[in-house]
């Protein structure tokens, strides 16, 4: 019923940090990436080659990519918005890049300053070039479950865009619940539609936990054969549309659930929690991941007070 094994794509060093006010130095990012790789994560998104004035937190992605520890079986990737970004990714020695766009016009315009058609046109120019350079390409399609500007999203429209991304050579499509409003029934309907045209191995889910439904949506994905999930250490990043709310699903929350269910991830939960503690220390505030906070609470000194629990 469930996949025997799932793969997690760790997006904390990119999607997490780009939404944190704290700007980590290169050394700190490399330490965090090393801790994530040591825990067994084999796919780690280390940054983004967007204009530094747009996302100053990730301006040093070239250096981070070059200094991330080179380990067998570990693949690093970064976002590339255009040809300049792709050239920087190639020069940094990355094995994978990701293009990104939204399923809705208004979010795509706010996020990339382009219409949906313009984004697709731009990617047609860079995806084949990446493949020719021996770099695999994943595509992010955001706002599939809901849009902060347009509300409900037409899944057929999202599928039309996805088809074009696939046809230009994107090997993996990551479907995003960017604002974290999806519910399990909706997830089933969206996946039923996509699975008519895509093999499950070509799809990944990028779920946010704003409303606390990310794990429930993951479970539906696993029931339907999806075996790749994007998560962020400690739930780093928050939600840019809902200050104070949870953002990306926390890596350790999904790893913990999978371990309890007997689903293999290849990740050592203890080492992952160490990486989460490091992320919280470096970022300097309490992160939203449930499993991390449970572990940190247990590690803290002090007596439990059973009378207070219900
Ligand atoms: Mg995200």
């Amino acid at each position: 019923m469930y996949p025997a094994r799932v793969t997690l794509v760790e997006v904390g060093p990119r999607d997490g940090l780009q939404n944190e006010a704290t700007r980590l130095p290169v050394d700190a990012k490399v330490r965090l990436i090393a801790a994530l790789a040591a825990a067994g994560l084999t796919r780690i998104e280390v940054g983004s080659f967007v204009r530094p004035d747009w996302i100053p937190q990730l301006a040093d992605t070239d250096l981070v990519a070059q200094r991330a520890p080179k380990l067998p079986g570990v693949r690093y990737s970064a976002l590339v918005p255009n040809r300049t970004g792709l050239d920087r990714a190639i020069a940094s020695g990355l094995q994978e890049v990701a293009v990104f766009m939204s399923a809705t016009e208004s979010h795509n315009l706010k996020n990339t300053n382009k219409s949906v058609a313009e984004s697709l046109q731009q990617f047609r120019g860079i995806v084949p070039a990446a493949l020719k350079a021996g770099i695999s390409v994943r595509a992010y399609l955001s706002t599939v479950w809901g849009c902060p500007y347009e509300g409900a999203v037409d899944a057929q429209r999202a599928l039309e865009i996805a088809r074009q991304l696939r046809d230009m050579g994107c090997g993996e499509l990551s479907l995003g619940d960017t604002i974290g409003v999806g519910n399990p029934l909706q997830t089933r309907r969206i996946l039923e539609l996509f699975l008519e045209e895509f093999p499950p191995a070509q799809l990944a889910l990028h779920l946010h936990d704003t409303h606390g439904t990310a794990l429930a949506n993951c479970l539906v994905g696993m029931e339907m054969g999806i075996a790749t999930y994007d998560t962020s250490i400690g739930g780093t990043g928050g939600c840019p549309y809902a200050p104070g709310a949870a953002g990306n699903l926390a890596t350790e929350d999904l790893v913990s659930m999978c371990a309890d269910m007997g689903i293999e991830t290849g990740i050592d939960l203890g080492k992952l929690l160490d990486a989460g503690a490091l992320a919280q220390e470096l970022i300097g505030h309490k992160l939203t991941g449930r499993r991390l906070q449970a572990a940190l609470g247990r590690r803290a000194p002090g007596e439990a007070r059973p009378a207070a629990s219900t």
Side-chain angles (χ1 to χ4, degrees), residues 215-281:
L215 277 180
N217 291 330
C218 274
L219 196 65
V220 170
M222 290 195 279
E223 284 169 3
M224 298 181 75
I226 309 294
T228 306
Y229 296 87
D230 302 352
T231 58
S232 176
I233 187 70
T236 39
C239 178
Y241 306 100
N248 294 291
L249 173 60
T251 307
E252 60 286 356
D253 287 1
L254 182 54
V255 168
S256 173
M257 186 179 86
C258 286
D260 291 347
M261 293 173 70
I263 297 170
E264 185 59 49
T265 61
I267 295 164
D268 179 316
L269 182 59
K271 288 182 184 170
L272 186 66
L273 291 167
D274 290 343
L278 174 65
Q280 176 161 297
E281 181 194 322

Side-chain angles (χ1 to χ4, degrees), residues 11 14-16 18-19 140 177-178 206-208 230 232 236 238 247-249:
V11 298
R14 192 277 302 174
D15 196 1
Q18 80 176 23
N19 288 306
Y140 282 105
D177 182 9
T178 310
H206 184 107
L207 299 166
H208 280 214
D230 302 352
S232 176
T236 39
N248 294 291
L249 173 60

